[in-house]
Amino acid sequence: MKLPLSWMRDFVSVDAPVEEISRRLSFAGLVVEHVEKLTPGFAGVFAARVLNVEKHPNADRLNLVEVDAGEKGKFKVVCGAPNVKAGMTAPLALVGAQLGKEPPLQAAVIRGVQSEGMLCSERELGLSQDHAGILALGADAPLGGAVAAYLHLDDVVLDVEITPNRGDCLSILGLAREVAALFGGRLRAPRLRAAPSGDAHDGAGFAVAVSIDAPDLCPRYAALAMTGIKLGPSPAWLKRRLELCGMRALNNVVDATNYVMLELGQPLHAFDYAKIAGGKIVVRRAGETREFVTLDNLTRTLDPNDLLIADPDKPLAIAGVMGGLNSEVSDATTTILLESAYFEPMTVARTSRRLGLRSEASYRFERGIDRAGQVGALIRAAELIRKIARGREASPIADFEPRKAEPREIALDLGAMESLLGASIPPTVARSRLKSLGAQVSTRGKGILAVVPPSFRSDLVEQADLIEEVARLGGLEDIPARLPERLSALAPVNREREFITGTREVMLGCGLTEAATIAFIAPADNARFSGIQIAARPVKVTNPLSAELSELRVSLMPGLVTSLRFNLNREARSFHAFEMGKVFRMDGDIATEHNHLASVSYGPYAISAIGDQSIAAGFFTMKGILETWFDAIGISSHISFKAIEPADAPFLHPGRSAIVSLDDTQVGLIGELHPAEAMRLDLNEPCAVFELDLSSLISYGFSPRKTFEPPPKFPTIRRDLALVLDRNFPADMVVKTIRDCGASLLESVEVFDVYEGTAVAAGKKSVALACRYRAKDRTLTDEEVNRIHAVLIEQARMRLGAELRQ
Amino acid sequence: MKEQLEEIRRRAMAELSDDASEAQIDAVRVRVLGRSGELTEIMRGMREVPNAERPAIGQLINQIKREVEARIEALTEKLKAASLTKSLNEKRLDVTLPGMRIARGHIHPITDILEQMLAIFESMGFEVAMTQDIEDDFHNFAALNFQPHHPARDMQDTFYVDGGMLLRTHTSNGQIRVMEKRRPPLAVVCPGRCYRRDDLSVRASPMFTQIEGFMVDKRGRITMAHLKGVLTEFVRAFFGTTAVRFRSSYFPFTEPSAELDMHCLLCDGAGCPVCKHSGWTEVLGCGMIHPNVMRAVEYNPDEFQGFAFGMGVERTGLLKLRVDDMRLFFENDLRFLNQFPALSGGVR
């Protein structure tokens, strides 16, 4: 809301500098976002009345004009404007006047006649491009007074951010009231009294009848007919005020309604009375009426619950949102019907949002206008229209209020206030702050105030609202800063957080940098990187920012791969990153979220010293990271890796990728990107990735062991064994089978070499294993171990159908 | 004979000087100690020595022998050491060449900032609770006193998803989720991702991180003065400034509502373009929990009261890190990320 201080000063006098006004408003919750100090583009221009106009003796198109500039004196000037006439008041630039960037005005002789000054057009004053004639000032312009001051060109305009709860501050009067309350000034609200009936409206009369069929949506509707209207431009001062508030001037009738809306906060609408059948207004729901053409000449589709202003035959306006083309005020209009109503905020909000139609009026109705301000605003508008559009009241004010506003009395317990704020505010201070806002305050009992909020503060409904007002007007400065005296018992351990933090530590330690990517992605990326669940259905965003961001990710992979590409495009040689974040998918009809961990690793991983061989990212570097992490969580023995089938994850290399399972349930994928995918991404080296669903792992957590064993006292004895197997037989099955043979004293089995080549048959490989034996109570003898190991070899060979390699 | 021995000793010791070479040492050894060396020769001539003198001479021979041997030993050791030193020096590494490494990864700045914040609140007795991103209207709006169609909803442009749910616009849903399951006293912070319909730009992102905090207890136990105290302490611990102020504001879910400003970190309150010459920057929103929120979680507002606050992690991070581009947080440019610590909170 723009607040020109000159306009505000109509209602309150404050001496404080503008900076202080801004500061206090901001502290009271009305943030002043911007202070604009205006300067006029001219000086030395005064209001002057044209006394008489004569033809210039030597020029047809010029006139000799005598003007009276009050205490500045009377002057004779030459004027070429067609609209100059005796009796008007116009801006007079005297010798020495500064007009824009022109040199100071000099006395001139025009066609043989001395001109002592110049009557100015809007263009000459830099107000607009209008140069059709001289600017007509209002009759109220003080003669000899500076035109800049009269037009408020040296104004200061505050741009105040109004929070949604403060509809009452969407007016000059509302903000003036706040300023008065903050500075202890007195508010001079305008005296709004109806013209004595029978006086202003002429005998002919224009009937105004109102029928409110939807009192739940429109509790009050007031209207007034005015006739004798002469549509035309508004006077400069009024236009200027509208413009300062960011509104465009249209014509004197519309401008007057807008002016009153800005001043008092009550939106008004002017209908062409002649277009209203029988002068009868019906306030009703749209019901069967499906379409309506609004002022902007667009056909609007209506909802049966939209509130319409209609006559008995047809709709005239969408209540509180926009008027109709069929009843618009035009040059031909002589009689108007002014509407001043209260529409329920919810109905206006719903309709204007659905139609995408936001107006200054709907903005105010949505936020709640003064529940009792309808008649006052009509009076104020009538006063203006009389003055600037020659209108006269043609009817008494019709005022219908089928649903009366119930005055609310709220009890304010000062003790409760103290215990909420943690500060004691003297009752007299609380009382006077509430009163300054327009509330009626009385004492109900000991320490309890009875407060009746003013009709324009619909946001004050319970005690907490009043406490806020009291605290707010003190700028919250009455409240000290204190630490709570007592903290609750030690907060319980958050296992999920512990797990996430621990996992992050392991990933960082394994050389992965933490990344963060945005959850919105393109459908193509979801299709390409299907994540852990190949059949996962992506969650669609109903109202996406763009098609490229229209789905939620089912996998963290697309974001990480995009980041890889981003870095490679910026001269990075390697990229090793992980992300922990949520992915989303549809489970039936329900959108669900899942915590995932994923990584992308590309380029040199272990950087060698000069002259040694570096280790590049690949399946086994990634697997090593996962194994380190599984060890850290203590779940290694529950984890297995199984080669993928191509259909499991089409984006992965079918020969260099695995499914990761926890106790036979798939929890993730690991592998290198499919060469086709790598080529698409323009990657020259293998790109290793993994992704895991953390939800099933979190329960394992980073929980410390509960029991410990002392280190063994006796040494192990190692015996090796090499088995020749089919090339595709997985090593972990070999180890598992050997363990399952159940050799006593066998402590560990470990693969230490795999050989493929000329020494074994084609399609075969040799797997070399180290078996370690240990007894808890003694040092084993070679003989004993040899006996056990020989049995083991025989069993393993048989179970695996393997040959022993000598 | 004694003189002869003394002469042998003198000559040998003179030749076994500190800088004697290996060859010189060897020559002395052969000449003095060798099988037909000088001392052996004298031993052989012992028969001619009178009996009375023999023990003394024998003693002297042994003494000279030990001395020379010890001396030779010492010199040989020294030579060996010198030669080792020499050969080691010939194979010196260029210690300035880079080492072999698996570089430790770097923490993402959002995590870094968030963990610092959580650590401060945890040390003040707050517990951390994680809540959901996909939310229903009740937990994101209605329970937080956003009336249907109320313009306050326009303050946060919401994403809706399949299945009639929405993406939370703030972490304030955490307040509702925790309170509806538990009873006071509560002191909880809820970090998490939030979503609003803003294009990714220097100032905004459609996905961002917030931290919501609240404290609830019996009426009078947690007051607005405590809100001021806890948050002032937070700003002091996190930003290192005590220059803070509270301004009245409006949020549907708190009343009274306030915004917390602190002295602009760039100009320390003097006024600069970044703070629009006000000297202050906005840090967070806060207030006393609205009675309607209490009612929504079935707490009696006459019995319980408390405060709540919420702040944007990226926004606060931008202030603290003194960078001014939101996009940096989501591009994952290593040249940016590598500037952040490789060790997590508390160690620094």
Side-chain angles (χ1 to χ4, degrees):
Chain A
M1 172 82 196
K2 296 275 181 68
L3 175 65
L5 291 187
S6 61
W7 199 347
M8 182 193 83
R9 292 205 161 94
D10 287 358
F11 305 114
V12 64
S13 307
V14 223
D15 295 333
V18 62
E19 289 73 20
E20 183 60 14
I21 296 175
S22 303
R23 198 187 70 84
R24 289 213 200 165
L25 279 173
S26 296
F27 268 81
L30 297 155
V31 174
V32 176
E33 294 189 309
H34 186 66
V35 177
E36 193 180 4
K37 293 185 176 170
L38 303 169
T39 48
F42 58 86
V45 182
F46 305 95
R49 176 165 301 126
V50 176
L51 297 175
N52 67 72
V53 180
E54 293 168 15
K55 281 266 164 264
H56 189 291
N58 305 326
D60 286 350
R61 295 207 185 147
L62 295 181
N63 291 311
L64 288 184
V65 182
E66 195 184 352
V67 296
D68 174 9
E71 60 183 21
K72 299 278 174 200
K74 292 182 179 166
F75 301 90
K76 282 195 172 134
V77 298
V78 176
C79 177
N83 66 333
V84 63
K85 60 176 187 283
M88 78 185 292
T89 306
L92 171 69
L94 289 174
V95 170
Q98 192 73 50
L99 297 177
K101 294 194 171 84
E102 301 291 314
L105 192 70
Q106 295 183 340
V109 175
I110 298 170
R111 297 270 178 125
V113 178
Q114 170 87 23
S115 181
E116 298 170 328
M118 182 172 91
L119 292 173
C120 303
S121 68
E122 291 191 17
R123 191 171 77 185
E124 280 154 345
L125 295 179
L127 299 177
S128 76
Q129 287 307 306
D130 188 354
H131 195 47
I134 56 173
L135 170 61
L137 299 175
D140 56 349
L143 298 186
V147 170
Y150 171 71
L151 291 178
H152 303 301
L153 298 183
D154 50 359
D155 217 336
V156 175
V157 182
L158 305 187
D159 195 349
V160 189
E161 187 193 337
I162 310 294
T163 52
N165 58 326
R166 293 303 303 273
D168 66 298
C169 285
L170 292 169
S171 67
I172 306 295
L173 180 64
L175 286 171
R177 184 181 296 111
E178 284 288 312
V179 170
L182 289 168
F183 286 88
R186 200 174 60 80
L187 185 74
R188 294 186 301 269
R191 281 211 193 89
L192 300 169
R193 251 183 232 135
S197 69
D199 174 38
H201 53 95
D202 52 32
F206 290 85
V208 176
V210 177
S211 151
I212 301 178
D213 297 353
D216 55 329
L217 305 182
C218 173
R220 188 171 191 181
Y221 194 100
L224 166 70
M226 295 191 78
T227 191
I229 298 292
K230 177 86 180 74
L231 214 67
S234 298
W237 64 269
L238 192 148
K239 281 200 217 170
R240 172 78 183 163
R241 280 193 163 177
L242 294 184
E243 279 159 13
L244 286 181
C245 291
M247 292 192 82
R248 218 156 38 89
L250 284 174
N251 58 55
N252 47 12
V253 170
V254 173
D255 291 352
T257 60
N258 284 336
Y259 186 92
V260 173
M261 174 180 74
L262 289 172
E263 187 172 76
L264 306 177
Q266 168 71 50
L268 301 174
H269 186 69
F271 297 97
D272 184 338
Y273 182 88
K275 310 280 174 61
I276 304 172
K280 185 169 164 70
I281 292 288
V282 182
V283 184
R284 63 170 173 88
R285 283 182 162 79
E288 300 288 292
T289 312
R290 308 319 294 256
E291 283 184 343
F292 180 66
V293 181
T294 42
L295 272 176
D296 48 9
N297 202 10
L298 288 173
T299 304
R300 307 288 180 171
T301 307
L302 301 174
D303 177 272
N305 270 318
D306 287 339
L307 187 65
L308 294 182
I309 309 303
D311 66 16
D313 303 337
K314 60 185 181 297
L316 303 170
I318 302 174
V321 178
M322 199 181 255
L325 199 59
N326 61 8
S327 57
E328 189 183 10
V329 172
S330 70
D331 289 343
T333 305
T334 55
T335 305
I336 57 170
L337 182 102
L338 285 175
E339 162 197 288
S340 179
Y342 184 93
F343 302 121
E344 285 299 334
M346 205 86 105
T347 182
V348 175
R350 198 172 47 216
T351 303
S352 82
R353 204 150 313 178
R354 203 191 70 249
L355 296 175
L357 248 181
R358 306 291 177 94
S359 61
E360 293 278 348
S362 71
Y363 189 71
R364 285 171 174 77
F365 281 121
E366 274 179 31
R367 282 158 175 76
I369 59 167
D370 185 352
R371 182 64 174 75
Q374 288 66 43
V375 170
L378 273 186
I379 294 167
R380 178 75 175 120
E383 182 184 295
L384 267 178
I385 290 172
R386 270 203 304 270
K387 207 190 287 181
I388 67 171
R390 299 199 211 161
R392 332 184 275 288
E393 281 91 330
S395 75
I397 288 175
D399 178 15
F400 293 86
E401 190 174 13
R403 192 154 56 83
K404 293 262 186 280
E406 287 166 26
R408 329 176 273 283
E409 190 182 275
I410 307 168
L412 173 58
D413 177 342
L414 295 171
M417 178 161 80
E418 182 171 346
S419 68
L420 186 72
L421 298 179
S424 150
I425 295 175
T428 49
V429 172
R431 186 186 280 262
S432 78
R433 284 182 187 166
L434 290 169
K435 276 185 164 171
S436 70
L437 294 171
Q440 292 168 35
V441 187
S442 53
T443 304
R444 184 188 274 179
K446 193 164 160 35
I448 295 181
L449 300 179
V451 181
V452 180
S455 58
F456 43 83
R457 290 300 301 271
S458 57
D459 58 318
L460 305 182
V461 296
E462 62 176 310
Q463 175 169 276
D465 303 319
L466 301 179
I467 296 174
E468 174 170 61
E469 291 305 298
V470 173
R472 186 177 71 82
L473 288 180
L476 302 179
E477 281 166 12
D478 308 315
I479 303 166
R482 278 201 202 105
L483 287 170
E485 284 150 28
R486 177 195 65 80
L487 291 172
S488 49
L490 212 56
V493 172
N494 181 329
R495 295 292 297 268
E496 183 183 354
R497 173 162 150 71
E498 208 176 52
F499 179 79
I500 298 285
T501 313
T503 298
R504 178 180 298 118
E505 264 317 294
V506 173
M507 295 300 142
L508 293 172
C510 287
L512 303 180
T513 287
E514 190 181 17
T517 63
I518 287 187
F520 301 97
I521 66 171
D525 280 331
N526 266 338
R528 193 172 284 130
F529 294 101
S530 46
I532 298 171
Q533 289 199 352
I534 181 82
R537 254 191 317 127
V539 177
K540 289 192 178 60
V541 180
T542 316
N543 54 342
L545 286 171
S546 69
E548 286 298 290
L549 301 172
S550 62
E551 288 185 356
L552 298 180
R553 59 187 176 198
V554 294
S555 160
L556 298 174
M557 212 57 78
L560 287 173
V561 164
T562 303
S563 299
L564 161 65
R565 207 45 267 175
F566 182 96
N567 279 282
L568 294 180
N569 292 346
R570 284 159 184 77
E571 301 177 327
R573 286 185 50 245
S574 62
F575 181 75
H576 310 287
F578 74 102
E579 178 172 8
M580 280 189 282
K582 285 182 176 168
V583 304
F584 307 85
R585 62 174 177 257
M586 296 302 292
D587 280 352
D589 291 341
I590 298 163
T592 57
E593 57 189 63
H594 309 267
N595 263 315
H596 274 203
L597 162 69
S599 168
V600 162
S601 180
Y602 180 85
Y605 174 65
I607 313 290
S608 69
I610 308 280
D612 291 342
Q613 194 71 36
S614 280
I615 295 171
F619 178 84
F620 285 110
T621 60
M622 270 318 219
K623 189 179 178 196
I625 293 173
L626 280 188
E627 285 170 333
T628 302
W629 178 55
F630 292 141
D631 272 349
I633 319 173
I635 61 169
S636 289
S637 58
H638 297 268
I639 291 288
S640 62
F641 291 81
K642 190 175 117 250
I644 61 160
E645 297 305 321
D648 293 338
F651 58 96
L652 288 180
H653 190 308
R656 304 178 68 82
S657 303
I659 285 173
V660 184
S661 299
L662 171 74
D663 294 333
D664 298 328
T665 307
Q666 182 185 343
V667 292
L669 288 169
I670 175 172
E672 293 174 15
L673 282 189
H674 195 288
E677 195 56 44
M679 200 189 298
R680 186 185 69 83
L681 291 162
D682 206 9
L683 305 175
N684 309 317
E685 294 169 50
C687 177
V689 301
F690 67 70
E691 179 153 11
L692 286 109
D693 186 342
L694 296 180
S695 46
S696 42
L697 303 174
I698 284 174
S699 57
Y700 289 86
F702 278 78
S703 39
R705 289 179 68 132
K706 293 201 178 68
T707 58
F708 296 87
E709 283 172 19
K713 289 196 177 71
F714 301 95
T716 57
I717 291 185
R718 169 175 165 168
R719 289 291 179 272
D720 290 353
L721 152 74
L723 295 165
V724 178
L725 296 147
D726 279 349
R727 202 193 160 280
N728 286 329
F729 196 85
D732 72 335
M733 282 304 293
V734 180
V735 171
K736 185 172 182 299
T737 309
I738 291 176
R739 299 200 74 111
D740 288 352
C741 290
S744 61
L745 307 176
L746 177 63
E747 187 178 85
S748 71
V749 183
E750 201 176 288
V751 177
F752 70 88
D753 192 28
V754 176
Y755 172 80
E756 285 176 55
T758 50
V760 293
K764 298 277 183 181
K765 66 178 170 188
S766 157
V767 178
L769 302 124
C771 303
R772 289 190 174 80
Y773 297 87
R774 188 195 321 258
K776 274 187 173 171
D777 53 351
R778 64 188 192 281
T779 301
L780 290 172
T781 63
D782 277 348
E783 195 180 53
E784 193 177 1
V785 170
N786 288 347
R787 209 169 50 237
I788 304 170
H789 190 63
V791 175
L792 177 74
I793 288 174
E794 196 44 36
Q795 284 208 4
R797 207 176 58 75
M798 274 168 49
R799 290 197 191 187
L800 290 164
E803 293 201 10
L804 212 54
R805 186 164 173 237
Q806 300 303 338
Chain B
M1 184 154 286
K2 197 175 173 194
E3 291 75 36
Q4 201 183 340
L5 279 170
E6 286 300 343
E7 176 55 23
I8 288 168
R9 178 203 295 220
R10 197 197 51 76
R11 198 172 147 217
M13 287 322 240
E15 282 172 22
L16 293 173
S17 63
D18 282 351
D19 54 357
S21 72
E22 211 176 325
Q24 286 170 325
I25 295 167
D26 239 32
V28 173
R29 190 201 340 261
V30 171
R31 194 188 73 232
V32 179
L33 306 174
R35 205 170 289 172
S36 49
E38 292 167 340
L39 290 182
T40 319
E41 289 301 320
I42 289 184
M43 287 285 277
R44 282 195 191 118
M46 277 289 272
R47 271 166 296 169
E48 291 154 35
V49 177
N51 273 350
E53 288 177 33
R54 257 186 216 173
I57 295 294
Q59 238 171 17
L60 185 59
I61 291 172
N62 278 336
Q63 194 188 336
I64 293 171
K65 191 179 172 190
R66 277 198 304 275
E67 267 175 43
V68 173
E69 274 171 354
R71 179 68 181 158
I72 286 175
E73 168 113 18
L75 285 177
T76 309
E77 279 302 312
K78 203 176 135 197
L79 276 176
K80 268 191 200 154
S83 126
L84 182 65
T85 304
K86 189 165 168 255
S87 79
L88 291 184
N89 274 335
E90 278 162 6
K91 290 185 235 156
R92 287 183 85 161
L93 293 177
D94 179 351
V95 297
T96 64
L97 285 173
M100 180 268 169
R101 62 192 295 205
I102 295 173
R104 201 183 146 94
H106 296 262
I107 295 170
H108 192 277
I110 297 176
T111 306
D112 188 33
I113 296 285
L114 183 63
E115 288 295 326
Q116 290 179 43
M117 290 175 171
L118 293 178
I120 293 169
F121 287 117
E122 284 178 307
S123 72
M124 287 200 269
F126 286 80
E127 62 181 290
V128 179
M130 318 271 203
T131 52
Q132 60 212 72
D133 293 19
I134 294 187
E135 215 14 307
D136 53 31
D137 186 275
F138 177 78
H139 290 89
N140 194 73
F141 287 125
L144 288 159
N145 197 32
F146 285 83
Q147 309 296 328
H149 303 291
H150 192 272
R153 292 192 173 212
D154 294 353
M155 293 159 82
Q156 304 175 0
D157 205 349
T158 312
F159 282 112
Y160 293 88
V161 296
D162 279 356
M165 303 286 272
L166 52 83
L167 295 174
R168 65 170 165 196
T169 55
H170 45 206
T171 41
S172 307
N173 69 325
Q175 226 187 98
I176 305 300
R177 289 275 170 199
V178 173
M179 289 202 292
E180 69 186 358
K181 273 196 223 102
R182 294 167 54 184
R183 304 284 293 173
L186 289 171
V188 182
V189 279
C190 305
R193 300 277 198 230
C194 308
Y195 309 82
R196 289 186 198 174
R197 294 192 73 248
D198 290 315
D199 283 308
L200 183 62
S201 69
V202 169
R203 287 265 142 260
S205 164
M207 178 178 100
F208 57 98
T209 317
Q210 267 195 354
I211 176 168
E212 176 86 5
F214 59 96
M215 237 176 157
V216 190
D217 205 339
K218 288 242 159 59
R219 179 165 148 177
R221 287 196 133 152
I222 298 295
T223 69
M224 191 148 188
H226 295 136
L227 164 69
K228 274 187 150 185
V230 166
L231 293 178
T232 303
E233 185 61 11
F234 166 76
V235 171
R236 191 196 59 73
F238 186 75
F239 288 107
T241 177
T242 49
V244 296
R245 66 180 192 188
F246 288 80
R247 271 186 297 110
S248 279
S249 189
Y250 166 75
F251 306 104
F253 38 98
T254 50
E255 188 163 73
S257 301
E259 257 162 323
L260 168 59
D261 298 340
M262 65 170 185
H263 257 182
C264 173
L265 292 173
L266 289 180
C267 62
D268 200 21
C272 68
V274 170
C275 59
K276 292 191 204 155
H277 303 283
S278 69
W280 297 91
T281 35
E282 207 176 295
V283 181
L284 54 81
C286 56
M288 300 306 289
I289 296 171
H290 197 287
N292 286 344
V293 175
M294 297 287 191
R295 290 177 191 119
V297 296
E298 292 173 5
Y299 287 6
N300 178 356
D302 294 328
E303 189 184 347
F304 296 110
Q305 68 182 40
F307 65 74
F309 59 87
M311 73 184 123
V313 175
E314 287 85 358
R315 232 193 66 78
T316 317
L318 291 176
L319 288 179
K320 180 151 186 181
L321 305 172
R322 296 173 198 205
V323 289
D324 61 354
D325 190 343
M326 188 81 150
R327 294 169 303 182
L328 286 170
F329 291 129
F330 300 104
E331 279 170 345
N332 302 308
D333 190 329
L334 292 175
R335 297 168 300 178
F336 180 61
L337 296 185
N338 286 347
Q339 299 173 47
F340 291 89
L343 292 173
S344 49
V347 182
R348 272 159 295 139

